Amino acid sequence: MFGTHYKLERYSIGLVVAIIVVASIGGLIEIAPLFTIHETVEKAPHMRVYTPLELAGRNIYIREGCYACHSQMIRTLSDEVERYGPYSLAVESQYDHPMLWGSKRTGPDLSRVGGKYSDKWHSEHLNNPRSVVPQSIMPAYAFLKRTELRTVDLSMDLAALKRLGVPYTDAMIKNASDDAKGQTDPDGSWADGVRARYGEATNVRAFDGDPGTVTEMDALVAYLQVLGHLTDVAHASEPGVSK
Amino acid sequence: MTVAGRHDPFGIHGIIVLLTGLGCAFCLIRDYYTPEPGADRLSSYYDEPIKAGILLALIWALIGMFFGDWVAWLLAYPQMTFDADWSSFGRMRPIHTTGVIFGFGGNALIATSFHVMQRTCRTRLADQLTPWFVLVGYNLFCIIAVTGYLMGVTQSKEYAEPEWYADIWLVVVWVAYFALYLRTLARRREPHIYVANWYYLAFILVVAMLHIVNNLALPASLARAKSYSLFSGVQDAMVQWWYGHNAVAFFLTAGFLGMLYYYLPKRAGRPIYSYRMSIVGFWGITFFYVWVGSHHLHYTALPQWVQTLGMTFSVMLLIPSWIAAANALLTLNGAWHKVREDATLRFMMVAAVFYGLSTFEGSFLAIRPVNSLSHYTDWTIAHVHAGTLGWNSMIIFGAIYYLVPQLWKRPHMHSPALVEFHFWSAIAGTFIYVFAMWNSGITQGLMWRAYNQSGTLAYSFLDSVMAMHPYYIARAFGGLLFLIGTMVGVYNVWRTIQAAPAHLTQTEQPALPGSPQAAPLVGS
């Protein structure tokens, strides 16, 4: 064995090939089957996609690095299920490009935070966390309320995700910008289109408390309020909860 | 880029790229009229890019560590954000991680690899332009990365945050780096390739593989910074942590073991303890490490079989890791008196010890039930910093204190006392940091899972946040001590360079050794 190596280390290309082969094996065996074994991701036939406003909110969540302190992955441990709700299933993040499971909980897990607090609470909390939770160490995001959301590009975002396999329809892509505005204005003319395309259960509200301009606060709160509500399969196995 | 992205941070990055390009073009044109160098140039080592790489590494160390300590204080005093978007923890944390890992670590790796490859091959770098292209190109990548975070440009993939255009650029730079390495190896005047080069090669190759796969993404538009990862959900999680953990393996371990395997024996004046341990350690690390990424996903929606494989290989990984650490420490046999007297060698010795300790801790934390307590807590942060402060930074500083006097033609550093001061402040900082985070991590983990007698959860999440406050202050203080040590180190390097003989020019580069000597670094 050491004799062979004594010869191998005289050839740089031999070393290069050997390193590539040895370092590829583990990755291939662990990653490739995840794409081919069908049980890896559960089935959720009625799962909906993010609306353009929620997607914009998700992109703000990414932009601000929220994932550095908040996980979106409830582990199969009893204390976590009790604290945050049913443990997370793979299918719940099947449309998440990329996933935001996170690796650190400086703040609590957010995978089921949707509907847990009111829009007003979220808006005030993001504006100044210590106004509602005095001991909080979260940064204040007051600029979200002041910043208008850029909606003209959203069609491109939906189109890109469609090419990656997220089932957005052509009508969703075409109306992305209007749907973003419509979702924050329940009495406006665009609101019905949002419900028609994304389902009656979609939250259509003035998330930041102001139905006028669409702000980044609208988008982020809309995203937080839908977390854990794209599908209810995770609740299906719970006793006493009917699907 | 500048024109297409005027509504987007993409445009600002276009301007940075444009200015860098103009600067490089100016430097090239300026040298157009200089006379053709004589043939004697080829008989000397080319050390200028190494000097530049060391200085860049130190600049990035100051930037990265400053931001690290800044965000550490933010966790204790969250009001310090000036009501601005760029100043929150979320945007500044990746500046810290990218600054120290890629800026400080990466530049140190590139600089030392240029040095080690020339010395162990007894030959000059294959050409003059490529090393500069690699160095400038790599630093352009780092600058685009950190300025992007301030503007909110990120893919959210930890340690792979830069967006698609920066990623493509890094691939170009990396291919040039790999080609330079192979071309220099091809010119070697030593039949055998020394073990440090195996590690540097594995670092270059596997990091390329990881970087390309994990960053596969579709840009929303060619005029925007935003892109969407090709992978989603559980597959994305596995790809990300296959990348994430192997960035630790091949960036922060393989490359740094290359450093250790050259500078520690050189400084100690002893050959490597065992050739066979080098072989077993190297191939064991290269093979086992790739499997262990899934231990970041215990108890998640990742299939159980992948978690189990990850845990098993993580435990097995301890064997090659400790073989590599033991090989380094046993090399010091017969030179321990030098460790006592020489702070530079002591930096390297402590690095090897911390390498052994943090690999043990890593294998331990990868065991599923242990991970149930430690995951998501500050224990992970303690573990990472034991590795990065105790192992990576110590070996870099050891290598720098070895290299700087040699490259700038001085008998020793400006002040050996300041090297001692740096050593002790770095050690103290590391210990305070790691102990604070161990305590806070275990406290957090225990509070989250504590039940009271009636069978309900004993603490709210907020209780655990409040319990962290004293530890966060201690951690920020430990980080500050480490940063102060680094500042002293930079001052010392600066004074050493200033005292260098002014007439030192290109023609007086160190000469290549005439005939191959019969004193290889490898022992029995």
Side-chain angles (χ1 to χ4, degrees):
Chain A
M1 174 189 164
F2 295 109
T4 320
H5 198 278
Y6 194 69
K7 292 195 195 99
L8 174 70
E9 70 191 36
R10 300 173 66 133
Y11 301 99
S12 53
I13 300 298
L15 270 178
V16 166
V17 173
I19 289 170
I20 291 177
V21 170
V22 168
S24 301
I25 298 171
L28 283 175
I29 291 180
E30 287 188 349
I31 297 174
L34 296 179
F35 292 93
T36 56
I37 299 175
H38 294 299
E39 294 91 79
T40 302
V41 181
E42 306 82 1
K43 296 278 171 293
H46 301 295
M47 181 164 174
R48 84 160 170 86
V49 292
Y50 295 112
T51 65
L53 186 71
E54 290 154 8
L55 181 69
R58 188 171 194 275
N59 288 343
I60 293 169
Y61 185 98
I62 290 173
R63 184 186 77 191
E64 300 306 330
C66 305
Y67 57 85
C69 294
H70 294 283
S71 60
Q72 290 188 23
M73 173 47 63
I74 301 167
R75 297 182 294 171
T76 53
L77 299 169
S78 65
D79 59 296
E80 299 212 355
V81 171
E82 237 167 282
R83 193 181 296 277
Y84 302 115
Y87 57 83
S88 302
L89 299 179
V91 70
E92 293 180 273
S93 51
Q94 67 170 337
Y95 299 142
D96 287 5
H97 294 265
M99 56 84 207
L100 294 173
W101 292 8
S103 60
K104 179 70 174 60
R105 282 183 188 149
T106 304
D109 187 277
L110 297 180
S111 42
R112 307 209 181 284
V113 79
K116 210 170 163 183
Y117 304 92
S118 67
D119 294 342
K120 192 168 174 353
W121 186 91
H122 275 301
S123 193
E124 280 181 21
H125 181 250
L126 287 165
N127 203 48
N128 177 14
R130 279 156 293 283
S131 69
V132 278
V133 183
Q135 304 88 346
S136 169
I137 60 168
M138 189 170 114
Y141 292 94
F143 63 91
L144 294 175
K145 185 83 199 292
R146 303 193 291 261
T147 314
E148 201 174 325
L149 183 71
R150 188 175 161 84
T151 57
V152 290
D153 293 334
L154 282 169
S155 289
M156 290 197 265
D157 294 82
L158 265 60
L161 284 170
K162 188 187 178 186
R163 290 185 61 187
L164 297 176
V166 182
Y168 283 112
T169 63
D170 291 337
M172 289 173 173
I173 294 173
K174 187 163 162 284
N175 294 296
S177 177
D178 293 341
D179 282 349
K181 292 177 199 123
Q183 198 180 347
T184 63
D185 188 5
D187 304 320
S189 52
W190 287 314
D192 291 338
V194 180
R195 290 200 192 88
R197 279 183 279 278
Y198 295 91
E200 282 303 317
T202 309
N203 299 320
V204 179
R205 300 193 293 258
F207 295 94
D208 66 352
D210 168 20
T213 46
V214 186
T215 62
E216 295 196 335
M217 183 69 87
D218 277 315
L220 186 54
V221 175
Y223 171 64
L224 292 173
Q225 292 291 33
V226 83
L227 282 176
H229 292 276
L230 294 178
T231 171
D232 56 3
V233 283
H235 297 267
S237 54
E238 273 196 345
V241 179
S242 59
K243 200 181 165 201
Chain B
M1 273 174 88
T2 315
V3 180
R6 53 192 178 278
H7 297 301
D8 203 79
F10 194 58
I12 295 173
H13 277 158
I15 295 171
I16 294 177
V17 172
L18 198 65
L19 291 178
T20 314
L22 287 175
C24 290
F26 173 75
C27 290
L28 281 177
I29 294 166
R30 191 189 55 189
D31 283 351
Y32 184 80
Y33 291 107
T34 47
E36 282 289 315
D40 58 327
R41 181 180 77 169
L42 296 177
S43 61
S44 64
Y45 290 124
Y46 189 39
D47 285 346
E48 294 306 310
I50 305 172
K51 294 182 184 173
I54 288 174
L55 296 181
L56 284 165
L58 287 174
I59 293 170
W60 279 108
L62 292 177
I63 297 172
M65 290 176 194
F66 170 79
F67 274 97
D69 203 44
W70 180 258
V71 295
W73 288 109
L74 272 185
L75 286 179
Y77 303 101
Q79 302 88 343
M80 306 194 298
T81 56
F82 330 115
D83 190 28
D85 54 0
W86 55 267
S87 60
S88 68
F89 182 91
R91 288 199 191 184
M92 293 208 290
R93 176 204 180 239
I95 299 183
H96 164 58
T97 56
T98 301
V100 292
I101 299 174
F102 297 110
F104 175 45
N107 276 305
L109 282 170
I110 292 174
T112 56
S113 75
F114 287 167
H115 183 252
V116 171
M117 77 168 104
Q118 293 189 90
R119 294 319 191 267
T120 58
C121 294
R122 296 173 195 283
T123 192
R124 187 183 169 86
L125 284 170
D127 74 280
Q128 297 235 132
L129 192 61
T130 317
W132 289 110
F133 173 75
V134 171
L135 213 54
V136 174
Y138 182 77
N139 282 281
L140 177 64
F141 164 81
C142 293
I143 289 170
I144 288 187
V146 298
T147 52
Y149 307 149
L150 283 178
M151 297 184 287
V153 177
T154 169
Q155 293 190 107
S156 84
K157 287 183 163 237
E158 280 184 86
Y159 319 115
E161 290 93 349
E163 273 290 357
W164 59 277
Y165 49 98
D167 292 334
I168 293 173
W169 173 244
L170 184 62
V171 172
V172 174
V173 171
W174 217 248
V175 168
Y177 184 26
F178 178 57
L180 175 67
Y181 214 108
L182 281 191
R183 282 159 61 216
T184 308
L185 282 179
R187 296 158 56 108
R188 73 183 182 278
R189 300 198 286 159
E190 254 313 305
H192 290 269
I193 299 173
Y194 178 59
V195 51
N197 292 305
W198 315 343
Y199 278 111
Y200 281 118
L201 267 182
F203 147 65
I204 297 172
L205 283 168
V206 185
V207 165
M209 198 159 91
L210 300 165
H211 172 76
I212 292 172
V213 175
N214 190 41
N215 284 302
L216 288 173
L218 183 65
S221 146
L222 288 179
R224 278 172 60 196
K226 176 74 190 165
S227 73
Y228 290 95
S229 169
L230 225 53
F231 310 109
S232 71
V234 60
Q235 291 91 359
D236 184 42
M238 185 59 221
V239 171
Q240 159 59 26
W241 288 110
W242 165 78
Y243 168 89
H245 202 84
N246 288 302
V248 176
F250 290 90
F251 207 96
L252 294 179
T253 304
F256 282 84
L257 282 171
M259 238 183 258
L260 183 74
Y261 269 98
Y262 180 80
Y263 294 105
L264 183 121
K266 278 302 247 187
R267 188 71 181 193
R270 309 273 310 162
I272 275 289
Y273 174 72
S274 163
Y275 169 63
R276 295 182 174 196
M277 280 168 82
S278 312
I279 294 177
V280 175
F282 174 73
W283 291 104
I285 285 173
T286 307
F287 180 68
F288 286 157
Y289 244 121
V290 187
W291 295 76
V292 307
S294 53
H295 72 222
H296 289 253
L297 300 166
H298 281 327
Y299 300 97
T300 67
L302 182 76
Q304 181 98 355
W305 64 269
V306 197
Q307 299 180 21
T308 308
L309 273 179
M311 170 172 78
T312 314
F313 275 86
S314 303
V315 174
M316 293 196 290
L317 182 60
L318 187 60
I319 296 165
S321 300
W322 272 24
I323 287 177
N327 203 10
L329 289 174
L330 289 170
T331 299
L332 293 172
N333 277 353
W336 285 100
H337 61 285
K338 293 188 190 167
V339 176
R340 194 166 56 239
E341 293 148 13
D342 177 10
T344 305
L345 188 59
R346 211 180 311 129
F347 265 112
M348 301 181 194
M349 185 277 288
V350 166
V353 170
F354 265 101
Y355 174 63
L357 288 176
S358 51
T359 47
F360 172 78
E361 190 186 25
S363 296
F364 180 63
L365 291 178
I367 299 170
R368 209 184 270 125
V370 182
N371 195 268
S372 78
L373 178 77
S374 75
H375 192 52
Y376 292 135
T377 73
D378 286 329
W379 195 346
T380 312
I381 316 299
H383 169 59
V384 170
H385 284 83
T388 50
L389 299 178
W391 151 231
N392 298 122
S393 302
M394 298 286 183
I395 187 68
I396 294 179
F397 288 129
I400 287 180
Y401 285 134
Y402 169 84
L403 275 174
V404 166
Q406 202 191 79
L407 293 176
W408 274 278
K409 306 276 177 296
R410 301 297 303 157
H412 49 72
M413 290 297 294
H414 163 70
S415 161
L418 286 181
V419 181
E420 279 289 340
F421 175 84
H422 181 187
F423 175 80
W424 289 110
S425 109
I427 282 283
T430 306
F431 273 103
I432 293 172
Y433 189 112
V434 171
F435 275 99
M437 288 293 94
W438 272 339
N439 277 308
S440 75
I442 294 170
T443 309
Q444 249 172 343
L446 291 176
M447 284 177 86
W448 292 345
R449 61 163 55 174
Y451 284 88
N452 53 30
Q453 284 184 332
S454 58
T456 54
L457 292 172
Y459 300 101
S460 71
F461 191 88
L462 196 61
D463 291 332
S464 75
V465 173
M466 287 151 65
M468 294 306 104
H469 188 67
Y471 302 120
Y472 283 161
I473 293 176
R475 178 258 290 270
F477 176 69
L480 186 64
L481 277 185
F482 200 91
L483 174 63
I484 289 172
T486 305
M487 283 154 61
V488 169
V490 171
Y491 168 78
N492 204 359
V493 167
W494 184 246
R495 290 298 301 265
T496 310
I497 295 173
Q498 277 195 322
H503 60 274
L504 193 70
T505 60
Q506 197 116 328
T507 49
E508 284 172 54
Q509 293 285 330
L512 294 180
S515 58
Q517 299 151 6
L521 274 161
V522 178
S524 53

